[in-house]
Amino acid sequence: VTPLYKRHKFDATITNFVARPLTSMAYGIDIKQPIGGDFGLSRGLVNALAKAPWDLNPWSHFFGVDVFITHTALAKGSTVCEAFLKAKIHEPKDPAKELKGMFIEVTGSLFTSLKIYEDSWVSKEVNELTEPPLIKEPEPPDMPPWEVKVSKGRALKVFKEGLLKFKEVLSKSLTNDLLRTVYTSKEGLDSDVWAEVCAYMFRYFIRTEDVNSLKALYHLWQGRLIKYYDEVSELEDVSEVLLREVKEFLNIRDLFKESMMGM
């Protein structure tokens, strides 16, 4: 059981732009909080986790633990559902200031989990998203989620720094056309561009295990967030925007699958 929270539109950006779309792309089930952490585990899943290849995923010993648990559950055929817990009460953080380490560890674990459990998702036929069952009772008390304040200027600065610092890694991992698009995107990255970036960076990472590719991806993620901040500036409910993000990844599922060929 994974949690389903009401969250501020600028919260859960690692979840919404990396963990959720990649997990949904792989298994075809739209789990909104695959790294929510407040999990309910069956006895069978606990036994499966006890035998899971933790040693093959060093990122799972850090912030990458949640996504490895979720992917192990999906790979081993556990029934996954969501429990509606309403507002997420935690310390909000600006993604451009405080989440670099968490982003790298979660993404490293996510990419590694997709590699470890290749046989479980690559052969799976996924044509559309399914919704996990939702547990609504007992209903928790309601309150508004805590606001997350972000700095678009800081995000833009981090994005541009990454384009300079990781030019070599990006030139090795991205196609020429995609590289050109990224370097000329002064207003940030659109969702379709971001999905392609993740697909090619995934391919590069699982072949090289180059940590610099994860660091580079962190900077490009800021580019996606810049555009997202503009996209939802006038919106209260961003669920449709985030669902479209997931579908962009699903649309290029074959590109992710091709990354596993010859591994």
Side-chain angles (χ1 to χ4, degrees):
V1 184
T2 63
L4 180 61
Y5 290 113
K6 286 170 58 179
R7 304 184 78 158
H8 187 267
K9 62 185 177 182
F10 296 151
D11 196 11
T13 44
I14 298 176
T15 293
N16 291 331
F17 295 95
V18 184
R20 176 186 173 186
L22 276 162
T23 301
S24 299
M25 174 280 301
Y27 291 96
I29 181 169
D30 188 20
I31 302 170
K32 318 303 183 301
Q33 298 284 333
I35 58 173
D38 298 314
F39 296 149
L41 309 177
S42 67
R43 182 189 298 270
L45 179 54
V46 170
N47 290 335
L49 287 167
K51 300 172 184 175
W54 296 88
D55 56 321
L56 299 181
N57 187 353
W59 308 97
S60 68
H61 299 284
F62 303 99
F63 280 115
V65 61
D66 299 13
V67 77
F68 187 58
I69 290 173
T70 300
H71 277 243
T72 299
L74 290 165
K76 298 303 179 183
S78 293
T79 298
V80 180
C81 59
E82 298 175 325
F84 186 41
L85 302 182
K86 295 200 173 178
K88 173 75 170 179
I89 307 301
H90 70 150
E91 181 183 359
K93 294 180 173 64
D94 181 345
K97 186 178 180 182
E98 301 174 285
L99 295 181
K100 183 176 182 179
M102 182 183 292
F103 178 92
I104 291 170
E105 290 170 15
V106 169
T107 306
S109 180
L110 177 57
F111 285 179
T112 304
S113 296
L114 289 170
K115 181 179 179 180
I116 290 172
Y117 295 126
E118 171 190 357
D119 292 344
S120 298
W121 68 272
V122 170
S123 60
K124 189 177 179 65
E125 197 69 36
V126 176
N127 298 313
E128 58 183 6
L129 288 176
T130 61
E131 283 290 317
L134 181 62
I135 300 171
K136 294 184 178 180
E137 301 293 340
E139 185 175 348
D142 200 9
M143 64 179 294
W146 288 8
E147 181 182 1
V148 178
K149 294 183 178 180
V150 298
S151 169
K152 185 180 173 183
R154 184 185 291 119
L156 182 60
K157 180 174 182 288
V158 174
F159 174 53
K160 290 182 175 179
E161 285 174 352
L163 295 181
L164 293 174
K165 186 175 182 180
F166 295 101
K167 195 167 186 177
E168 183 178 352
V169 169
L170 295 175
S171 64
K172 289 179 180 179
S173 54
L174 306 183
T175 64
N176 290 336
D177 286 346
L178 187 56
L179 192 67
R180 191 177 304 111
T181 299
V182 167
Y183 274 87
T184 56
S185 299
K186 296 180 181 179
E187 301 301 319
L189 305 181
D190 290 322
S191 57
D192 59 335
V193 174
W194 170 243
E196 273 198 75
V197 164
C198 287
Y200 284 107
M201 296 298 275
F202 167 63
R203 175 181 295 185
Y204 181 77
F205 175 77
I206 62 173
R207 281 165 166 71
T208 65
E209 297 187 357
D210 184 354
V211 178
N212 279 329
S213 64
L214 301 179
K215 294 177 181 178
L217 191 60
Y218 164 78
H219 289 269
L220 297 191
W221 173 59
Q222 299 298 326
R224 175 66 193 114
L225 294 183
I226 294 165
K227 198 62 173 285
Y228 170 72
Y229 296 152
D230 288 337
E231 291 169 356
V232 302
S233 62
E234 303 298 323
L235 299 178
E236 288 297 323
D237 183 359
V238 299
S239 58
E240 287 300 317
V241 176
L242 297 177
L243 180 58
R244 288 199 300 271
E245 195 79 20
V246 173
K247 289 180 177 178
E248 290 289 357
F249 281 72
L250 192 63
N251 288 341
I252 58 168
R253 190 172 189 271
D254 286 344
L255 189 56
F256 284 95
K257 288 169 61 177
E258 289 167 10
S259 298
M260 305 308 303
M261 294 180 179
M263 290 299 296

Coordinates of all heavy atoms in Angstrom, one line a residue, residues 65 155 160 237:
V65 N 15.7 4.0 -1.1 CA 15.1 2.8 -0.5 C 13.7 2.7 -0.9 O 13.2 1.6 -1.3 CB 15.3 2.8 1.0 CG1 14.6 4.0 1.7 CG2 14.8 1.5 1.6
A155 N 16.5 28.3 -9.8 CA 16.4 27.1 -10.7 C 17.0 27.4 -12.1 O 17.7 26.5 -12.6 CB 14.9 26.7 -10.9
K160 N 21.4 26.5 -16.0 CA 22.5 27.0 -16.9 C 23.9 26.5 -16.4 O 24.7 26.2 -17.3 CB 22.4 28.5 -16.9 CG 21.2 29.0 -17.7 CD 21.2 30.6 -17.7 CE 20.1 31.1 -18.5 NZ 20.1 32.6 -18.6
D237 N -5.4 23.2 -9.0 CA -5.4 21.7 -9.2 C -4.4 21.4 -10.4 O -4.7 21.8 -11.5 CB -6.8 21.2 -9.5 CG -6.8 19.7 -9.7 OD1 -5.7 19.0 -9.5 OD2 -7.9 19.1 -9.9

